[in-house]
Amino acid sequence: MPFRSVLHSPQPWISRALYVAVCLSVLPAQGQEPTAKAIENGNFVVGPDYTIAAELTDLGNPKGRLFEFKMALADSKIFDGTDATLSPQKKVRKARRIVVYVPNAYQDGTDAPILVIHDGPNRLDLVRNALDNLTISKDAARRLPAFIAIAVENGGDDSKGSQRGLEYDTMSDRLARFINDEVLPAVLNDPEIRAAYPNIAITKDPWGRAVMGCSSGGAAALTMGWFRPDLFRRLITYSGTFVDQQDDDAPQEADYPLGAWEYHSSMKLIENSEKKPLRIFTHVSEHDLRNNDPEETYHNWVMANERTAAALAAKGYDYRYVFSRGTKHCDRKVFEKTLADTLVWMWQGYQPQ
């Protein structure tokens, strides 16, 4: 069942008037109660007690097919592991794993929607169970489309000067192009996948393409959609790294000197840009990274996500923001409690073309 919404006390860096407006926008009209099945836009709080949603467990339903292959970084035209911003002290993988789950409900020959998962195969086990259970749900309001889950391993290490940081924390369309131009064709041309599904196809409809990640992978999900909404429009970010993690030597520093912090900084990238065709889920944990840091560090994850959610609300985006009490960065129990609802909300309104 969907978790109950609770109004989260505003942090001092959010305008109280804006916060009240956001909260009122998700309350039912006077005299009405939200239906138990409704998955709404707005701000929500979960915790501090957590249990895994039954839909994210193995309920014995028919299973799909799992595949795995590797892509050598040296073969890539976009991320070959030799970027000038990389630090010699940070290890770069020679090859990245690609793990693909095709649900049992997928019919070979149809144009499949997809969910790209950063830092793959992280949380793929929960996504697999959600697909097994919710693609055949008797409740139409909670039924998921038979999307193919594509978990993509990062290029190695973390933060500034790393291949992972280059891929996930850079404010550009580079990662979106890598996934679209190199990863998706590799999935379609993998011999094992092609043998099992001779006519497998991936939709070109950007509303049929979702991205999910946590931490810098979460920031990367938003960035993929932000810079290429023509390719990806449904975006899921947990503990999003909307902070200044972009490499100091990156050419993008000229336009975005504070990296992903600029989404909600004094630049007000979200609010001052033309509204994009995106559907966006964001989350932060109560005890997320550097949650007591002052603004001038540009590294307070709670502040960053609160302000990102407020900016999305102010601009009128379809958004859903979850604050999880008593939890830490990318805490698994948050996924276990919320991911079923998150996926259902994310795919609401999807109509295959």
Side-chain angles (χ1 to χ4, degrees):
M1 297 292 291
F3 49 78
R4 181 172 58 94
S5 65
V6 185
L7 298 187
H8 175 215
S9 299
Q11 298 289 353
W13 49 80
I14 297 180
S15 157
R16 181 169 294 274
L18 172 61
Y19 182 81
V20 170
V22 171
C23 290
L24 289 177
S25 72
V26 302
L27 289 175
Q30 186 174 7
Q32 295 180 347
E33 291 292 331
T35 63
K37 297 177 183 177
I39 307 292
E40 301 167 314
N41 289 0
N43 294 0
F44 299 85
V45 173
V46 297
D49 299 319
Y50 296 87
T51 56
I52 187 169
E55 295 156 321
L56 300 178
T57 65
D58 186 350
L59 298 179
N61 289 317
K63 306 294 187 291
R65 297 283 300 274
L66 187 69
F67 304 90
E68 181 176 330
F69 61 91
K70 291 187 176 182
M71 296 180 65
L73 270 70
D75 293 339
S76 174
K77 295 181 180 180
I78 299 174
F79 290 124
D80 65 1
T82 65
D83 198 86
T85 64
L86 298 177
S87 169
Q89 287 73 44
K90 298 202 170 183
K91 186 177 179 180
V92 178
R93 289 190 172 98
K94 292 185 178 180
R96 69 177 81 236
R97 298 166 63 202
I98 310 294
V99 184
V100 178
Y101 187 67
V102 182
N104 184 72
Y106 172 69
Q107 296 181 0
D108 188 32
T110 59
D111 290 346
I114 60 170
L115 171 66
V116 176
I117 304 172
H118 294 318
D119 290 317
N122 196 23
R123 309 302 184 234
L124 181 58
D125 59 327
L126 298 178
V127 174
R128 289 172 60 184
N129 285 334
L131 282 167
D132 295 343
N133 298 326
L134 291 174
T135 54
I136 59 173
S137 173
K138 294 181 180 179
D139 181 353
R142 292 188 69 76
R143 190 175 304 139
L144 291 176
F147 63 80
I148 295 174
I150 303 170
V152 182
E153 191 173 45
N154 65 69
D157 219 302
D158 192 24
S159 194
K160 294 183 179 183
S162 71
Q163 181 67 36
R164 181 177 184 267
L166 172 66
E167 294 169 7
Y168 291 174
D169 295 315
T170 304
M171 295 287 283
S172 77
D173 73 343
R174 194 170 174 181
L175 182 61
R177 289 188 291 108
F178 171 68
I179 297 296
N180 184 73
D181 298 353
E182 298 189 0
V183 174
L184 298 187
V187 169
L188 294 177
N189 293 317
D190 178 72
E192 289 190 35
I193 296 176
R194 182 63 69 177
Y197 302 94
N199 301 302
I200 191 170
I202 289 174
T203 183
K204 290 181 171 59
D205 175 12
W207 283 116
R209 293 173 165 209
V211 189
M212 181 176 84
C214 197
S215 191
S216 288
L222 178 57
T223 296
M224 284 175 62
W226 185 262
F227 287 94
R228 295 302 299 268
D230 59 316
L231 297 178
F232 303 95
R233 293 187 179 177
R234 298 180 187 270
L235 315 172
I236 298 173
T237 85
Y238 280 87
S239 290
T241 300
F242 303 123
V243 304
D244 184 16
Q245 290 277 90
Q246 182 172 262
D247 194 278
D248 298 332
D249 296 328
Q252 290 78 16
E253 287 281 283
D255 293 324
Y256 310 103
L258 298 179
W261 189 267
E262 302 291 15
Y263 283 123
H264 54 83
S265 70
S266 58
M267 180 185 289
K268 295 186 176 180
L269 182 58
I270 291 174
E271 293 183 64
N272 289 334
S273 299
E274 181 179 352
K275 185 180 174 184
K276 300 174 186 288
L278 301 171
R279 188 169 177 85
I280 305 167
F281 171 90
T282 62
H283 154 269
V284 78
S285 288
E286 181 179 8
H287 306 299
D288 224 303
L289 299 179
R290 298 175 65 168
N291 58 85
N292 290 317
D293 273 21
E295 179 171 5
E296 56 266 26
T297 66
Y298 312 122
H299 267 84
N300 183 321
W301 265 251
V302 177
M303 181 186 296
N305 280 276
E306 290 273 5
R307 298 195 330 185
T308 297
L312 293 171
K315 195 66 177 180
Y317 276 95
D318 279 329
Y319 88 101
R320 184 173 173 86
Y321 168 62
V322 170
F323 178 92
S324 57
R325 293 193 180 114
T327 53
K328 297 181 180 180
H329 189 65
C330 291
D331 206 318
R332 182 178 172 87
K333 59 178 172 277
V334 178
F335 284 86
E336 291 179 341
K337 182 176 181 64
T338 66
L339 186 57
D341 277 0
T342 299
L343 290 171
V344 169
W345 178 83
M346 181 53 61
W347 287 101
Q348 282 177 349
Y350 174 64
Q351 296 292 332
Q353 291 188 345

